[in-house]
Amino acid sequence: MSLNAIAYPNPPLAAAKARFIGLHGWGANAQDLASLAPYLQLNSFQYLFPDAPLPHPHVPGGGMWYDLSDLSKCEGLDQSRASLTQWLDNLEQTTEIPLNRTILTGFSQGGAMTLDVGSHFPLAGLVVLSGYLHPPTVRPLPKTFPPILMIHGSLDSVVPVSAARNARDVLTQAGAQVQYHELEMGHEIQPEVLKLMRDFITSLIP
């Protein structure tokens, strides 16, 4: 299944030298993160925001990467993982921007997908916002990782901060380079998050 994506600007910047991809969370859609693009101020970046391939059962117009009702099964994850993997492979083959100049970002469930799929690609970096790590029974970790930025709210009532701390520790022990920040906020993206993101991304792709 191919993923539908919003490009910003539209049409995509012809002179783009790098790429930013944003994966939305459970029940949202591509518009949710696309609204952040103007505020990141990443010159010469192409922005792409794909919709998750599965419709959300309770939110009209919303999508999901997999069903959260039973985390032991993660029903739909295999399908979404395959779709996202194929979509990233196609980007590498059909555009002039290589994956090593691509940043994959995800919020909440999109953050989990960023770690799940992005860790297996030679990307410039991964950004995980209010996200978490799937258990190793879902997918083993790779031997090498792109640099990772994790930002989580200490007041997050949707994805507990303990999940982010656990992901940080597991990834670090596995050899990943993780920049980890906890901010006094809930399940959200505040202006300080955008600054941390921009600093991280421009350190990898000047």
Side-chain angles (χ1 to χ4, degrees), residues 8-89:
Y8 178 90
N10 191 11
L13 190 65
K17 305 297 184 183
R19 181 188 292 113
F20 177 97
I21 299 170
L23 308 180
H24 65 79
W26 192 69
N29 56 39
Q31 295 282 355
D32 190 49
L33 291 186
S35 62
L36 300 178
Y39 301 100
L40 285 170
Q41 298 180 344
L42 296 170
N43 297 330
S44 299
F45 270 69
Q46 175 197 57
Y47 297 84
L48 293 175
F49 302 92
D51 278 313
L54 304 174
H56 193 277
H58 308 301
V59 181
M64 64 179 185
W65 298 97
Y66 54 88
D67 191 351
L68 282 176
S69 62
D70 187 345
L71 287 178
S72 66
K73 295 181 179 179
C74 294
E75 188 173 349
L77 174 57
D78 288 345
Q79 175 185 341
S80 289
R81 179 189 290 141
S83 295
L84 182 57
T85 297
Q86 181 184 35
W87 186 75
L88 289 171
D89 278 333

Side-chain angles (χ1 to χ4, degrees), residues 161-200:
V161 69
S162 58
R165 293 170 182 169
N166 174 72
R168 173 200 60 195
D169 295 344
V170 170
L171 291 166
T172 301
Q173 291 169 11
Q177 297 181 357
V178 182
Q179 290 188 33
Y180 179 83
H181 299 270
E182 278 181 26
L183 304 180
E184 190 174 351
M185 64 180 187
H187 198 65
E188 58 188 317
I189 300 175
Q190 293 189 352
E192 187 176 353
V193 174
L194 300 178
K195 183 181 185 304
L196 289 169
M197 290 172 61
R198 191 178 189 285
D199 290 346
F200 174 76

